[in-house]
Amino acid sequence: SASGSEEFNRPWNTEPVVREGLKHVSEGCVFIYCQVTDKPYWKDPNNDFRKNLKVTAVPTLLKYGTVGIFLCWNECLQANLVEILFSED
Amino acid sequence: VKELFSSLGTECYVLELDQVDDGAKIQEVLLEITNQKTVPNIFVNKVHVGGCDQTFQAYQSGLLQKLLHEDSAYDYDLIVIGGGSGGLSCAKEAAILGKKVMVLDFVVPSPQGTCWGLGGTCVNVGCIPKKLMHQAALLGQALHDSRKFGWEYNQQVKHNWETMTKAIQNHIRSLNFGYGLSLREKAVAYVNSYGEFVEHHKIKATNKNGQETYYTAAQFVIATGERPRYLGIQGDKEYCITSDDLFSLPYCPGKTLVVGASYVALECAGFLAGFGLDVTVMVRSILLRGFDQEMAEKVGSYMEQHGVRFLWKFIPVMVQQLEKGSPGKLKVLAKSTEGTETIEEVYNTVLLAIGRDSCTRKIGLEKIGVKINEKSGKIPVNDVEQTNVPYVYAVGDILEGKPELTPVAVQSGKLLARRLFGASLEKCDYINVPTTVFTPLEYGCCGLSEEKAIEIYKKENLEIYHTLFWPLEWTVAGRENNTCYAKIICNKFDHDRVIGFHILGPNAGEVTQGFAAAMKCGLTKQLLDDTIGIHPTCGEVFTTLEITKSSGLDITQKGCG
């Protein structure tokens, strides 16, 4: 099963687009929404997100366990692109 | 022709070239964009139909009437059949130019059941995984050399096939994803369906569930590429694999027989041997047909000295499964091409790499009269990649007489879109296309082989400079001298113009790229001599070439190895 991990940071309001996109995920898919906590932690180049998940931008929508299958920033606002990511199996 | 259009109730815009001042110039441009010298020269709704004969033919076949009733009657401006290097490049460029474009891509599973995503051969089962596996093998060699450079470690160095394959497949997955995004961002409609023509301007798209949908377009580009050929012997499809299967094989292939002498065969045999596997290459006649044979012989010789076994002048006649497994055990019976000798041997895997066949026979081309070369399946096109049917074009490996390379397909696809929709006149330049064979010792080349040069220019009009060389990195590593080789072929009657460039050595691809650009600028021997080399590199040998083949002087390097 594929899972997505995602960081929100207002003012990017990706929530409606992502909720819509979640209608396209396959059975057994797990969606994880997590906050990046605060700015100092995010700015630290050695934080877990940067080091282990290779996330360099917020918001990011990524397919956990892969490298290179992700959307970030305004791509997360485009329903057609979000649909492609959520259709990945 | 004027009467014909009148009878069809169509008004024509007629430009009488003998009645306008720049008539001759217009005729020149017409020749350039349509390849036609004569008049009348007819265009219908921007599609070039041809002269008088072609126009009447089009009328007889019903094509002319279809072209006339065009305007917005079609679903799309352009439909591209095939989402590989050529197809995607063309589709994206057309979309950038504001056209409504659709791409159909569908991978028919291999006999072993292998399938892959959007992007075509290069991304999924060609250049990309090949180069990554080649790199994996080179790293093994580097680890070996590293001890001589002072690295000390106690572990036995061994290779894990599954770790490598998983990493490579992950990267390919991200490329497939990227292509999907790229098409969507440019508003290109992408359909994962098998496309075939049913009538003029109309295709049927069948998805993996068998659902059929129909689409129409003003223009079409066929970019369906090729698939590996099978031998046509007992057991080939059931038990043998091809490059379609190798790069995603979930288990290590083990003791492998590679059948073929193409660059695919040699590159695969090369990296498999680099992983420490027992590899045999079965060759029917010569290596790398079409390439410079002196270089091909050196490529093979290096592989032989580095653990690859060659069986010369044999062909397999039967493959039997002795044991199922991952991998299993296969018995191969082969016979000599000269005489009655036969060989029987057991392998874990048999990899067929005997050639690739164009995917042009089952896409309904006969329904719309697109001519193909019946023997090879390739599509003959004119110098603007147009088939014999005016609104149908083709790009990529399926083209007759053009190099089968990703960058060629990408470039010709892009330029084709610009000519169709961007008012460009630029044609693809197929001269001096560089390429590299990524065998254990890499071979890079641009321009003519020695054989081809002699055939075209005659031996006495050529001067061939050559040298053996020893890469600095190989010295301390204790690797052989007098193996790496560089050669240029110059045309004596054109200022010693470099018409053939050949290098056998590490990083041959990187070295060759720059020299290919120099050859586009008209590189001559003098210019090479005037260029100062970068030291210490392999590429610099080309700036100090002195010995000619005609002199017969020895090019052996002093120094051990």
Side-chain angles (χ1 to χ4, degrees):
Chain A
S1 57
S3 49
S5 146
E6 179 195 24
E7 294 91 85
F8 284 138
N9 191 8
R10 314 274 184 262
W12 297 96
N13 193 2
T14 57
E15 196 165 326
V17 177
V18 173
R19 286 202 186 282
E20 183 58 39
L22 282 170
K23 296 180 184 165
H24 296 272
V25 294
S26 49
E27 281 281 314
C29 173
V30 177
F31 178 74
I32 301 169
Y33 159 45
C34 61
Q35 305 264 26
V36 181
T37 66
D38 51 32
K39 210 161 182 180
Y41 176 79
W42 176 245
K43 289 290 187 191
D44 172 17
N46 288 318
N47 78 50
D48 282 305
F49 291 102
R50 290 187 196 269
K51 259 184 77 177
N52 300 329
L53 291 179
K54 309 274 190 275
V55 174
T56 55
V58 166
T60 285
L61 200 52
L62 69 86
K63 183 177 173 193
Y64 187 78
T66 69
V67 177
I69 299 185
F70 68 93
L71 296 174
C72 62
W73 289 338
N74 60 315
E75 289 174 342
C76 302
L77 291 171
Q78 296 179 55
N80 57 354
L81 301 186
V82 171
E83 188 194 321
I84 294 183
L85 179 62
F86 281 142
S87 309
E88 276 276 314
D89 49 27
Chain B
V1 175
K2 291 184 197 170
E3 265 174 41
L4 172 62
F5 281 114
S6 163
S7 75
L8 289 171
T10 304
E11 241 184 77
C12 296
Y13 173 67
V14 181
L15 181 64
E16 305 278 4
L17 292 181
D18 55 354
Q19 285 171 18
V20 294
D21 283 335
D22 47 359
K25 214 167 182 193
I26 294 178
Q27 204 155 357
E28 255 175 60
V29 176
L30 277 174
L31 173 60
E32 222 181 306
I33 57 178
T34 66
N35 230 20
Q36 185 185 327
K37 290 193 243 223
T38 56
V39 283
N41 196 335
I42 290 105
F43 293 80
V44 175
N45 274 326
K46 295 190 189 170
V47 175
H48 175 242
V49 180
C52 182
D53 286 341
Q54 284 103 323
T55 307
F56 274 91
Q57 259 169 41
Y59 169 64
Q60 253 129 44
S61 71
L63 175 56
L64 185 65
Q65 293 85 321
K66 273 217 150 74
L67 286 172
L68 284 168
H69 295 118
E70 197 178 302
D71 38 51
S72 56
Y74 298 118
D75 300 326
Y76 291 90
D77 295 314
L78 176 71
I79 288 182
V80 178
I81 309 180
S85 304
L88 290 181
S89 158
C90 187
K92 280 191 258 187
E93 191 68 16
I96 286 171
L97 292 167
K99 294 301 159 186
K100 191 172 175 210
V101 187
M102 165 178 274
V103 169
L104 288 106
D105 187 62
F106 190 85
V107 179
V108 174
S110 77
Q112 292 300 320
T114 314
C115 220
W116 50 86
L118 180 61
T121 296
C122 174
V123 164
N124 293 288
V125 289
C127 328
I128 302 295
K130 176 266 296 280
K131 187 85 188 293
L132 289 170
M133 289 202 176
H134 172 64
Q135 174 63 2
L138 288 178
L139 286 170
Q141 173 77 63
L143 281 168
H144 195 261
D145 294 349
S146 71
R147 293 190 193 276
K148 297 270 176 56
F149 282 89
W151 289 98
E152 294 172 350
Y153 39 94
N154 294 321
Q155 289 141 294
Q156 245 295 59
V157 167
K158 54 184 171 51
H159 184 253
N160 184 318
W161 173 272
E162 286 83 354
T163 305
M164 171 188 69
T165 314
K166 198 151 168 260
I168 291 178
Q169 287 301 315
N170 275 341
H171 178 62
I172 292 175
R173 213 68 70 245
S174 75
L175 292 176
N176 299 140
F177 176 71
Y179 280 125
L181 279 192
S182 179
L183 288 183
R184 203 55 94 90
E185 277 168 352
K186 294 181 173 54
V188 173
Y190 159 55
V191 178
N192 185 208
S193 295
Y194 187 92
E196 49 192 313
F197 285 95
V198 288
E199 57 184 71
H200 276 301
H201 287 278
K202 189 172 182 180
I203 53 149
K204 173 172 79 172
T206 311
N207 71 10
K208 64 176 188 238
N209 298 321
Q211 276 172 320
E212 293 172 358
T213 319
Y214 295 85
Y215 301 104
T216 60
Q219 321 233 45
F220 288 81
V221 172
I222 305 169
T224 49
E226 302 179 309
R227 295 299 289 271
R229 188 178 302 149
Y230 280 79
L231 286 165
I233 61 169
Q234 194 181 332
D236 67 352
K237 288 203 173 143
E238 299 94 301
Y239 309 123
C240 300
I241 64 168
T242 68
S243 57
D244 279 357
D245 313 295
L246 181 65
F247 301 112
S248 56
L249 207 61
Y251 52 83
C252 181
K255 178 180 174 190
T256 303
L257 171 67
V258 178
V259 182
S262 57
Y263 72 82
V264 175
L266 297 185
E267 286 172 343
C268 291
F271 61 69
L272 290 175
F275 301 143
L277 303 179
D278 178 337
V279 178
T280 304
V281 179
M282 187 178 288
V283 179
R284 186 176 53 94
S285 64
I286 59 168
L287 297 182
L288 299 175
R289 184 176 298 276
F291 284 88
D292 185 294
Q293 284 301 291
E294 178 185 30
M295 306 306 291
E297 194 271 329
K298 287 177 188 291
V299 164
S301 177
Y302 181 88
M303 287 174 70
E304 233 168 349
Q305 267 145 44
H306 286 258
V308 177
R309 194 169 131 238
F310 280 83
L311 287 174
W312 298 100
K313 304 222 193 312
F314 273 90
I315 53 172
V317 291
M318 183 167 68
V319 178
Q320 277 178 317
Q321 186 179 62
L322 295 179
E323 251 176 59
K324 275 198 213 251
S326 306
K329 280 211 176 89
L330 301 172
K331 183 161 81 169
V332 178
L333 176 65
K335 76 168 205 269
S336 167
T337 59
E338 18 180 68
T340 54
E341 194 190 339
T342 60
I343 296 182
E344 210 175 70
E345 194 160 332
V346 177
Y347 303 92
N348 293 123
T349 299
V350 177
L351 173 70
L352 302 181
I354 56 171
R356 294 174 65 77
D357 290 324
S358 296
C359 300
T360 52
R361 300 189 195 270
K362 294 186 188 162
I363 56 173
L365 292 181
E366 68 287 350
K367 298 212 170 78
I368 57 168
V370 172
K371 285 209 180 69
I372 66 171
N373 178 318
E374 277 309 322
K375 188 156 171 263
S376 67
K378 290 199 176 229
I379 303 185
V381 293
N382 60 20
D383 65 352
V384 289
E385 285 87 29
Q386 188 182 37
T387 67
N388 64 309
V389 175
Y391 66 92
V392 180
Y393 297 78
V395 289
D397 289 355
I398 54 172
L399 293 192
E400 188 168 63
K402 307 285 193 283
E404 293 179 32
L405 298 167
T406 294
V408 171
V410 170
Q411 177 79 330
S412 68
K414 195 193 291 194
L415 295 181
L416 172 61
R418 287 188 189 162
R419 287 193 309 270
L420 287 176
F421 308 113
S424 161
L425 294 178
E426 199 186 340
K427 295 181 220 180
C428 191
D429 184 357
Y430 295 103
I431 309 288
N432 288 343
V433 172
T435 187
T436 295
V437 181
F438 293 100
T439 34
L441 190 55
E442 297 176 8
Y443 165 40
C445 60
C446 184
L448 302 172
S449 64
E450 198 170 322
E451 296 85 6
K452 203 79 201 168
I454 290 173
E455 189 190 306
I456 298 174
Y457 296 94
K458 303 285 177 298
K459 200 165 181 182
E460 55 270 20
N461 299 324
L462 299 171
E463 194 71 89
I464 299 171
Y465 296 84
H466 66 160
T467 187
L468 289 161
F469 63 94
W470 200 17
L472 180 64
E473 295 81 3
W474 287 25
T475 56
V476 167
R479 291 172 69 178
E480 59 270 77
N481 192 357
N482 293 309
T483 301
C484 294
Y485 179 72
K487 153 168 103 170
I488 56 168
I489 304 167
C490 302
N491 181 357
K492 284 203 269 202
F493 287 93
D494 180 21
H495 306 94
D496 263 349
R497 186 87 46 200
V498 176
I499 57 172
F501 173 96
H502 303 267
I503 178 168
L504 179 72
N507 305 303
E510 304 294 352
V511 173
T512 306
Q513 183 69 85
F515 286 100
M519 283 172 72
K520 268 260 179 275
C521 300
L523 184 67
T524 60
K525 178 64 167 63
Q526 185 63 54
L527 282 168
L528 269 176
D529 292 346
D530 292 344
T531 306
I532 300 197
I534 301 171
H535 186 71
T537 64
C538 293
E540 65 172 311
V541 295
F542 288 98
T543 62
T544 53
L545 287 169
E546 270 174 4
I547 298 177
T548 61
K549 277 201 176 182
S550 55
S551 71
L553 292 170
D554 185 16
I555 50 172
T556 314
Q557 304 291 299
K558 309 290 173 282
C560 37

